[in-house]
Amino acid sequence: MATVLIWAQMDLPPEHARDIIDEAKPLIEAALEEPGCEIYTWSHDPYVPGRVNVFERWTSEEELAAHFLNPAYTDMGKQLRSRGPIVAQSRKFRVDVHGPIYDENRVPSAEFFDVAS
């Protein structure tokens, strides 16, 4: 079973972005309670007005598939478009290998040493 990461970026009407996400809080919290949801975080980009970045981590493709059927997901689109159109992009990543960034001497490396799967 491989971990699944979700990255999304949405550009909401800047004058309404905070309210849209604040009102979506119950849906975000519901997603966090779903089986297999390890991280589900939304943050306002401090450099681009109205931009929201989303990061999710799911324990498996099956758990993510179940999320796509739940109101925490199905109602979110309506909430996000509640005050105008949005521009969004998103990607999913299946993680079959992961490892630490720093070695035992606290030196960062792009290599996958001491790999755990």
Side-chain angles (χ1 to χ4, degrees):
M1 213 169 20
T3 297
V4 178
L5 303 178
I6 301 286
W7 164 85
Q9 188 175 70
M10 299 172 286
D11 290 328
L12 306 172
E15 66 276 16
H16 299 298
R18 290 235 173 249
D19 290 337
I20 291 169
I21 299 307
D22 286 348
E23 292 166 10
K25 190 175 179 183
L27 298 172
I28 294 168
E29 290 173 348
L32 282 164
E33 295 298 319
E34 292 179 28
C37 182
E38 297 180 322
I39 299 173
Y40 195 85
T41 185
W42 297 54
S43 62
H44 294 277
D45 189 313
Y47 302 106
V48 181
R51 179 164 289 168
V52 175
N53 296 298
V54 178
F55 177 75
E56 304 173 32
R57 186 173 71 203
W58 295 86
T59 56
S60 69
E61 292 174 52
E62 294 78 17
E63 301 291 2
L64 178 60
H67 167 65
F68 289 156
L69 300 175
N70 287 331
Y73 178 81
T74 60
D75 292 350
M76 186 61 78
K78 181 172 64 175
Q79 173 60 32
L80 293 172
R81 290 185 293 281
S82 66
R83 291 186 182 83
I86 64 170
V87 176
Q89 55 181 321
S90 60
R91 290 282 180 259
K92 62 182 181 257
F93 303 88
R94 189 179 64 224
V95 181
D96 299 306
V97 175
H98 62 88
I101 294 172
Y102 299 97
D103 68 14
E104 63 279 351
N105 297 314
R106 299 293 299 154
V107 176
S109 174
E111 293 179 47
F112 284 88
F113 48 85
D114 191 27
V115 173
S117 54

